[in-house]
Amino acid sequence: MPHRDDQSATMRSAMYYGAHDIRIESVDKPQLEAGKCLVKVAWCGICGTDLHEYEAGPILCPGKQPHPLTGSSLPVCLGHEFSGVIEEVGLGVEKWQKGDRVLIESVISCGECYACKIGCGNACSKLGFVGISGLGGGLSEYFLSPQEYLHRVPDNVSLREAAMSEPLAVAVHAVRRSGFKKGQTALVLGAGPIGCFLTKVLVAQGASMIICSEPSSTRRAKAQLAGAQHLLSPLETDVVARVKELTGADGGVDVAFEAAGNERALETGIKALKTRGTLLNVAVWSKDPKIPANELVFGEKAILGSSCYRDDHPTVVEALGSGLIQLNDFVTAEITLDDLVEKGFKELIHNNEQHVKILVSPSNKAWTPF
Ligand SMILES: [Zn+2]
Ligand SMILES: [Zn+2]
């Protein structure tokens, strides 16, 4: 193999061609543009969304039509949870300099639809994502980023940890949407990465009790590590009855979070709420679930949805910088781009329970940032 260095006109990227077809390819390194920064990617997390695309896609990745905002069609570069270091700064960029450590906010919105106009670009009618909809991604040596997508990584936060800011922002947004207040009780359904990060956020925001329901004992252990006090298996325990026992006179939790995408978990969450409690759904569903609607009527309960994040990154950066939230325990493997499919995607599909986050170094660790 010929020696390559950073002056090379090409870079290696994980390109998504369709279900079960991800190729590590040499592609053109993006040319610097005005208003943009060239970011050398340090670490990129693999997300459940990426796995869905791999197993059953294209779902969010462009299909037959190019994405309405990016104009991209397949193949697209994957990776939307990442951090890196700025290598070049385009004309008109004043806030950023070469060497700045950054994390990327990956939502792409149109700025014109109703949702965008009310400041809710995360619900844009043409919603897209870096690393899914075109524009490049984090599973690549470089990413040419619009300057407004970048956030500064505090000096004391590692770029590894910063790569997990994206799912943390999902959790911060969900907790904010739920109306949760300090001192309240919460039930988290599902202890995958989002369930664990939700638990972390609830601890940081002063929940008086966090109960987690999750069938896998390995995952329950992760939720415990995140700070859940009561770990329940829905296969062994009547979760609704146990929640009512634990919450005593209140007769249920203030807030429940559906992070499992499971019909039974959703039903459990609604039934485990106290009067006027709120269920926040953060899971994405492949099939519409049945809802116990009379619980909503007679208990005056609410169901709310939460999609990605909007204006949550400053909170995320602050929480990581102050040490209020620490995520390093949730990195369960670090791999190189060459091993992406075998040790990343396939590992997460077949050994899901053993993992929370697998981080990928697109430079194959030849360049190792902290
Ligand atoms: Zn994600
Ligand atoms: Zn829009």
Side-chain angles (χ1 to χ4, degrees):
M1 244 187 145
H3 176 74
R4 290 173 49 260
D5 60 29
D6 288 348
Q7 308 311 315
S8 160
T10 60
M11 63 175 184
R12 284 152 34 82
S13 298
M15 302 303 290
Y16 174 83
Y17 281 80
H20 301 282
D21 190 1
I22 292 172
R23 306 176 202 170
I24 310 301
E25 292 184 333
S26 185
V27 302
D28 288 342
K29 190 169 155 182
Q31 296 289 312
L32 192 61
E33 292 172 19
K36 296 186 178 180
C37 299
L38 186 68
V39 176
K40 183 160 182 173
V41 179
W43 296 98
C44 182
I46 305 174
C47 173
T49 306
D50 300 319
L51 300 181
H52 289 151
E53 295 293 340
Y54 181 73
E55 287 195 291
I59 302 165
L60 293 173
C61 284
K64 291 196 174 69
Q65 304 292 327
H67 190 274
L69 293 180
T70 67
S72 297
S73 34
L74 297 181
V76 291
C77 178
L78 290 178
H80 60 273
E81 305 180 352
F82 62 107
S83 62
V85 178
I86 293 180
E87 198 162 282
E88 288 178 60
V89 172
L91 271 175
V93 174
E94 283 173 5
K95 188 179 167 189
W96 302 107
Q97 290 181 344
K98 179 176 160 70
D100 283 346
R101 301 159 74 245
V102 291
L103 55 87
I104 284 79
E105 180 167 353
S106 49
V107 163
I108 304 169
S109 53
C110 77
E112 290 165 1
C113 71
Y114 174 75
C116 284
K117 282 196 170 140
I118 63 163
C120 192
N122 54 321
C124 175
S125 60
K126 294 177 180 167
L127 186 66
F129 297 90
V130 167
I132 290 175
S133 315
L135 285 197
L139 288 168
S140 177
E141 286 177 273
Y142 292 92
F143 173 65
L144 184 64
S145 182
Q147 56 178 329
E148 64 274 18
Y149 289 17
L150 301 173
H151 296 271
R152 197 173 300 277
V153 176
D155 290 343
N156 58 326
V157 174
S158 71
L159 287 169
R160 282 180 181 79
E161 197 167 31
M164 289 177 283
S165 58
E166 200 269 355
L168 181 59
V170 171
V172 165
H173 188 72
V175 172
R176 187 153 70 92
R177 278 285 292 154
S178 75
F180 170 84
K181 289 180 192 69
K182 187 176 175 182
Q184 289 190 326
T185 52
L187 168 66
V188 177
L189 299 137
I194 296 298
C196 286
F197 287 11
L198 277 168
T199 302
K200 276 276 185 187
V201 174
L202 288 165
V203 170
Q205 297 193 1
S208 59
M209 185 196 295
I210 303 170
I211 307 163
C212 174
S213 172
E214 159 65 50
S216 149
S217 60
T218 316
R219 289 201 147 183
R220 284 199 301 276
K222 307 270 195 237
Q224 189 169 28
L225 188 69
Q229 292 99 354
H230 301 281
L231 292 308
L232 310 179
S233 164
L235 305 178
E236 292 156 21
T237 308
D238 179 340
V239 174
V240 176
R242 184 70 185 128
V243 168
K244 287 185 186 287
E245 227 171 76
L246 287 166
T247 52
D250 279 8
V253 288
D254 290 287
V255 192
F257 293 89
E258 217 299 13
N262 174 286
E263 190 173 88
R264 254 192 73 199
L266 178 66
E267 184 187 347
T268 299
I270 294 169
K271 289 185 172 167
L273 292 172
K274 62 159 69 160
T275 302
R276 294 197 174 165
T278 300
L279 180 125
L280 189 291
N281 175 63
V282 67
V284 177
W285 299 79
S286 45
K287 191 171 147 263
D288 282 340
K290 230 172 62 195
I291 289 174
N294 280 339
E295 286 277 332
L296 305 181
V297 176
F298 296 114
E300 294 203 337
K301 298 173 180 181
I303 303 186
L304 286 174
S306 177
S307 169
C308 20
Y309 31 78
R310 185 74 189 177
D311 304 326
D312 298 288
H313 280 71
T315 308
V316 165
V317 168
E318 161 87 41
L320 292 174
S322 68
L324 182 64
I325 294 183
Q326 292 177 10
L327 301 178
N328 285 319
D329 287 344
F330 296 102
V331 180
T332 47
E334 289 175 3
I335 63 170
T336 62
L337 198 58
D338 285 329
D339 291 330
L340 179 69
V341 174
E342 290 303 320
K343 294 186 182 167
F345 281 72
K346 288 187 182 170
E347 176 69 15
L348 283 171
I349 289 163
H350 301 300
N351 286 318
N352 197 357
E353 293 177 4
Q354 304 303 321
H355 291 285
V356 183
K357 268 297 156 196
I358 294 184
L359 294 184
V360 184
S361 160
S363 305
N364 284 354
K365 292 183 179 167
W367 173 69
T368 313
F370 67 93

